[in-house]
Amino acid sequence: MGDLFWANQNIYIENIYRPVILGTLIFFVVIAAVFVFGLFRHYQLLRMGGKENRFDQIPARIMLVLKEIFAHMKIIKEPYPGIMHLLIFWGTALFLIGKIIRPFSYAVDLSSPPQAVFLYSSLLSEIGAVMMIIGGLLAIYRRYIAKPSRLDTKPDDTLIYVWIFIILLTGFMAKGYRIAAGGIEPTDWATWAPVGYLFSKMLPTFDTQSYNEVLVWHRAVLHTLPAFVFLIYIMVNRSRIQHILLTPLNVFFSSLGPKGALVPVDLEKAETFGVSKIEGFTWKQLMDLDACTRCGRCQDNCPAHLSGKELSPKKVIQDLKQHWYDSGPDIFGMLRNKFKGKGRETGVSMIGDVIKHDVIWDCTTCRACQEACPAYIEHINKIIDMRRNLVLDQAEMPETAEMALRCIEERGHTCKGTTACRTDWCGDIAGAKLLAKDSNVEIVYFVGCSAALEDRNMKVSKAFGKILKAANVNFGILGEEESCCGDPARRIGNEYLFQMQAMKNIETLKKYNVKRIVVTCPHGYNCLKNEYPQFGGEFEVIHHSQFIAELISQGRLKLKNNLDKAITYHDGCYLGRHNSVYSEPRTVINALPGVQFKEMARHANKSFCCGAGGGHMWMEEKTGVRISEMRTEQALETNSSVVATACPFCLQMFEDAIKAKQASEKIKPLDIAELVALAIADEQPQK
């Protein structure tokens, strides 16, 4: 049968195959044209955005793409969807590799296939197709049966599943026809094409001419044509499957700078502040919108959304994306006007109509959305940019936030109504030196507004001072020369006030030739460490949990007092997700005598926000459940007697939430420094 098949190839090629080849070439030309058109449309849309340099550190960017695309480092953190996506991704990769390799089998020797190349490519394609089907079935179960709330199913999603299944099914049928007709030399098809072999057992045999006609028209009409039309559809219809190209691009161009640093504004050149129109975003911020696949991981991890607020990070990105498309240039109009792409006027306001004010103010900038996003979308900068416009151009902000900003402007701190001064906390602690009198110190303690001026957090600064004294650390403070680091101003949206505070503190620190700074506030830590360098403030900045861990490891502290407590630890967002400080606080807690450490269900990079970030320390939660009370519930679930914190904002939020829930007898919030101070023995080793 095989000899007869190949003997009739000239007739087969002349009468059937050449028209099919011609048709295939025409389809390829059409697909290439549509692909170029799709790229051109994306390019013109991205041109609406402003400039931004994301072409630095190319080797690091390539490595990041390879890690995320091929190993799915972020996606696999959720096992079910992670495995599902890995099966689909690697199945598609193997399937396409097999299809690309297969023509080379004919290039080796057309007269006597199957060659080894053909057999291996056949097996590779079948393994890939089976993986795709298994992954697809897992996806169908999840989307249509399990139905997690974060997934919104659109007709395009269903169409893609059906379309891909048809392409795979008809491919197996084509191979089954080929095996059933004996058009290839007999071989162990159960090994090299197990699925095709099963199909061959279900299909009738044909004479050679009938086989040729059935096979070619089956491939052309039922297999190849749907595949080509599918490719055209996803390019023209802006299908979510475009993420195959867009997500790797977005990962490649993702920020490689400090996670906790916001993008600064050039105040001297800026004509307007923040972003009020879609074209005010940079091209990379617009690419973020295109890369979103509506997976909803950001929404599932957003404390504002989970507590019943209006904010959904997913919806923000999708709403901005639709507004971008609606405002984008008319492609065909552009062609008539020499490719000059201009946005269309829609009469819709981005802030107010597309994104409501409450949504913008709901964000705590906790970074849970960005930590979860497999496409590396940067939500926070977009929200802060809109806040900047509201605050600096429109003079709109929550009243309590405005009061905090005014207090920074007038008094250099956020603590409205306080009568304390910045040195009151250290009155009875020997060893604290004012830099104005003696700048020859081992380390400078940048106390921060809360720890210096608020009663509850002054206990933390006193405890930390006791630790420094016990370890014989030669430390200094700025005292009244210290001013608010500016973090609240920047997160609320007043970039001007932030930069004013930053420059003031940088000048003071440089005046005393400060090299090493320790802070008890993660917001100040992030600000001084990651954002002051934007304005020439290069210092070594460490958090007090890191410094205490360092003192313990050096043997400079004796922790002998048995605490006999069950302790859980809350990862503050600006210490954890923004700066990846997870191990040191736990090292300190585990070093305390008589402590039973218990993790909360949500911890480390999955930690739940306390609700105070993004300026919310000075804003009221008007809708939904208080975020701090939700986090307190999670702490209570551990049956711990103490919830340890490493942030003054977190500490205050727990204080208020525990009182509100009448749980003061069950659990008590204490800063890590307070716990260490309790464990310090009376006698300490000399330095």
Side-chain angles (χ1 to χ4, degrees):
M1 188 70 168
D3 293 338
L4 180 61
F5 174 84
W6 293 106
N8 290 332
Q9 281 302 294
N10 289 334
I11 299 174
Y12 167 65
I13 292 172
E14 182 69 31
N15 296 332
I16 300 174
Y17 208 59
R18 280 180 178 169
V20 172
I21 291 175
L22 180 61
T24 302
L25 290 175
I26 292 172
F27 269 117
F28 269 122
V29 172
V30 172
I31 287 173
V34 171
F35 183 75
V36 170
F37 173 77
L39 290 179
F40 176 73
R41 182 166 65 174
H42 280 290
Y43 171 70
Q44 290 298 335
L45 283 168
L46 290 174
R47 280 188 63 193
M48 290 177 64
K51 295 180 180 179
E52 185 176 1
N53 182 19
R54 293 292 180 102
F55 293 91
D56 58 331
Q57 304 181 60
I58 299 299
R61 294 184 181 281
I62 292 173
M63 289 303 297
L64 180 63
V65 172
L66 293 176
K67 180 180 72 172
E68 291 297 340
I69 300 307
F70 293 106
H72 282 34
M73 297 300 290
K74 273 196 175 183
I75 297 178
I76 204 67
K77 289 179 181 178
E78 290 188 38
Y80 187 99
I83 292 171
M84 174 194 81
H85 202 278
L86 270 175
L87 285 168
I88 295 173
F89 172 80
W90 278 109
T92 303
L94 295 177
F95 179 78
L96 292 177
I97 290 170
K99 290 294 184 183
I100 292 169
I101 291 175
R102 180 178 173 181
F104 290 99
S105 65
Y106 296 100
V108 174
D109 187 355
L110 184 64
S111 64
S112 60
Q115 303 293 334
V117 176
F118 179 92
L119 296 176
Y120 282 111
S121 67
S122 172
L123 180 60
L124 203 62
S125 291
E126 291 219 351
I127 292 172
V130 170
M131 290 173 67
M132 290 171 68
I133 290 172
I134 294 172
L137 290 174
L138 291 173
I140 288 169
Y141 172 81
R142 187 166 180 269
R143 183 169 292 276
Y144 300 99
I145 299 175
K147 295 181 181 179
S149 60
R150 77 188 195 193
L151 294 181
D152 55 288
T153 301
K154 297 183 178 181
D156 175 69
D157 302 312
T158 305
L159 184 60
I160 288 171
Y161 289 134
V162 173
W163 218 325
I164 292 178
F165 178 74
I166 289 173
I167 292 170
L168 294 176
L169 177 64
T170 54
F172 282 130
M173 291 176 66
K175 188 174 288 185
Y177 282 135
R178 192 178 182 91
I179 295 171
I184 308 176
E185 291 296 333
T187 189
D188 184 9
W189 288 115
T191 298
W192 296 106
V195 181
Y197 178 75
L198 289 175
F199 270 87
S200 73
K201 295 302 181 183
M202 297 183 285
L203 297 171
T205 57
F206 303 92
D207 59 70
T208 304
Q209 184 174 353
S210 298
Y211 160 74
N212 286 334
E213 293 176 0
V214 170
L215 179 62
V216 171
W217 290 113
H218 174 90
R219 280 183 174 172
V221 178
L222 298 181
H223 183 58
T224 307
L225 180 60
F228 283 162
V229 174
F230 177 65
L231 292 174
I232 294 172
Y233 168 80
I234 64 176
M235 291 305 300
V236 172
N237 198 51
R238 291 191 175 118
S239 168
R240 70 181 297 168
I241 209 168
Q242 288 183 3
H243 80 275
I244 294 172
L245 295 175
L246 294 172
T247 296
L249 276 175
N250 207 55
V251 173
F252 179 84
F253 289 117
S254 61
S255 173
L256 298 182
K259 294 189 294 183
L262 292 177
V263 177
V265 175
D266 189 336
L267 297 175
E268 293 182 357
K269 295 181 179 179
E271 296 179 3
T272 60
F273 296 102
V275 175
S276 62
K277 296 182 179 180
I278 195 71
E279 57 266 30
F281 290 121
T282 67
W283 66 266
K284 173 56 178 66
Q285 288 177 307
L286 295 180
M287 180 179 281
D288 275 353
L289 309 182
D290 236 358
C292 179
T293 63
R294 311 192 330 265
C295 72
R297 291 184 182 221
C298 56
Q299 180 176 292
D300 263 11
N301 288 277
C302 174
H305 176 77
L306 295 174
S307 63
K309 312 294 189 291
E310 289 196 47
L311 171 64
S312 161
K314 170 186 165 183
K315 192 172 186 301
V316 167
I317 298 300
Q318 287 298 311
D319 288 347
L320 288 174
K321 180 178 183 177
Q322 188 58 54
H323 180 58
W324 177 37
Y325 286 169
D326 293 342
S327 305
D330 176 0
I331 300 298
F332 295 103
M334 286 165 47
L335 294 174
R336 293 191 297 268
N337 290 291
K338 300 180 181 180
F339 301 97
K340 293 181 180 179
K342 295 182 179 180
R344 289 172 285 177
E345 187 61 50
T346 63
V348 175
S349 173
M350 187 178 78
I351 298 179
D353 294 333
V354 179
I355 308 296
K356 295 181 180 179
H357 290 200
D358 285 348
V359 169
I360 295 171
W361 292 113
D362 279 344
C363 180
T364 64
T365 67
C366 71
R367 209 177 186 274
C369 52
Q370 292 183 208
E371 194 76 16
C373 179
Y376 280 66
I377 292 168
E378 298 160 17
H379 309 73
I380 294 174
N381 272 315
K382 297 176 187 58
I383 290 174
I384 295 298
D385 276 338
M386 289 187 280
R387 283 188 183 181
R388 286 169 173 168
N389 185 264
L390 285 173
V391 172
L392 294 175
D393 271 12
Q394 302 183 40
E396 290 188 24
M397 71 191 88
E399 184 179 352
T400 50
E402 184 178 5
M403 292 169 60
L405 296 182
R406 188 177 298 119
C407 193
I408 296 174
E409 288 178 359
E410 296 174 353
R411 306 183 66 183
H413 60 74
T414 57
C415 308
K416 187 177 183 296
T418 184
T419 58
C421 66
R422 286 188 177 269
T423 56
D424 286 354
W425 66 271
C426 61
D428 59 347
I429 299 175
K433 298 179 180 179
L434 281 173
L435 293 185
K437 296 181 179 180
D438 185 357
S439 60
N440 183 26
V441 295
E442 177 184 349
I443 196 163
V444 172
Y445 176 25
F446 194 95
V447 187
C449 302
S450 296
L453 301 168
E454 292 184 349
D455 291 342
R456 176 61 187 91
N457 273 290
M458 286 171 71
K459 296 177 182 178
V460 176
S461 51
K462 288 179 180 178
F464 186 55
K466 179 182 177 181
I467 293 168
L468 296 175
K469 178 184 175 183
N472 290 312
V473 176
N474 179 18
F475 73 100
I477 58 174
L478 290 170
E480 294 302 323
E481 289 187 273
E482 181 181 310
S483 191
C484 177
C485 67
D487 167 84
R490 188 168 232 194
R491 267 68 199 173
I492 290 172
N494 194 329
E495 180 72 8
Y496 178 83
L497 180 57
F498 161 72
Q499 292 193 21
M500 184 176 70
Q501 290 297 121
M503 295 305 295
K504 180 180 178 180
N505 282 321
I506 290 170
E507 182 182 354
T508 302
L509 291 165
K510 284 187 173 181
K511 179 174 68 174
Y512 295 115
N513 197 30
V514 172
K515 301 296 183 184
R516 199 175 193 213
I517 302 171
V518 63
V519 294
T520 48
C521 175
H523 298 263
Y525 168 74
N526 177 71
C527 203
L528 272 67
K529 178 182 174 67
N530 299 323
E531 296 182 324
Y532 276 24
Q534 297 171 348
F535 308 97
E538 301 281 351
F539 310 104
E540 180 188 356
V541 186
I542 57 176
H543 187 254
H544 77 305
S545 64
Q546 296 173 307
F547 193 59
I548 293 170
E550 180 182 310
L551 294 176
I552 293 172
S553 68
Q554 292 173 350
R556 296 173 69 177
L557 282 175
K558 284 185 178 179
L559 306 177
K560 290 190 174 181
N561 296 338
N562 192 315
L563 299 188
D564 191 25
K565 297 179 185 295
I567 299 177
T568 189
Y569 172 67
H570 164 74
D571 289 279
C573 303
Y574 273 78
L575 189 61
R577 278 188 293 268
H578 283 276
N579 285 283
S580 301
V581 178
Y582 298 115
S583 61
E584 291 93 332
R586 288 169 171 79
T587 297
V588 172
I589 293 172
N590 284 313
L592 298 172
V595 162
Q596 180 186 2
F597 181 60
K598 299 181 177 182
E599 288 281 20
M600 288 190 235
R602 284 180 175 266
H603 64 276
N605 66 340
K606 285 283 190 179
S607 181
F608 201 77
C609 181
C610 75
H616 277 261
M617 187 71 182
W618 300 275
M619 298 184 209
E620 289 293 327
E621 291 185 57
K622 298 178 180 178
T623 58
V625 181
R626 287 184 178 274
I627 296 173
S628 59
E629 293 183 15
M630 292 182 67
R631 186 54 168 167
T632 298
E633 284 284 357
Q634 295 165 16
L636 288 168
E637 289 173 0
T638 66
N639 293 317
S640 299
S641 58
V642 172
V643 53
T645 67
C647 170
F649 294 177
C650 297
L651 182 62
Q652 190 61 58
M653 297 304 276
F654 275 112
E655 287 276 357
D656 296 342
I658 289 171
K659 289 177 183 177
K661 298 188 72 64
Q662 298 180 345
S664 299
E665 294 182 1
K666 296 180 181 178
I667 195 167
K668 183 178 182 180
L670 290 172
D671 188 89
I672 282 178
E674 294 178 295
L675 290 167
V676 173
L678 290 173
I680 291 175
D682 294 334
E683 294 183 4
Q684 295 296 330
Q686 294 300 310
K687 187 176 178 181

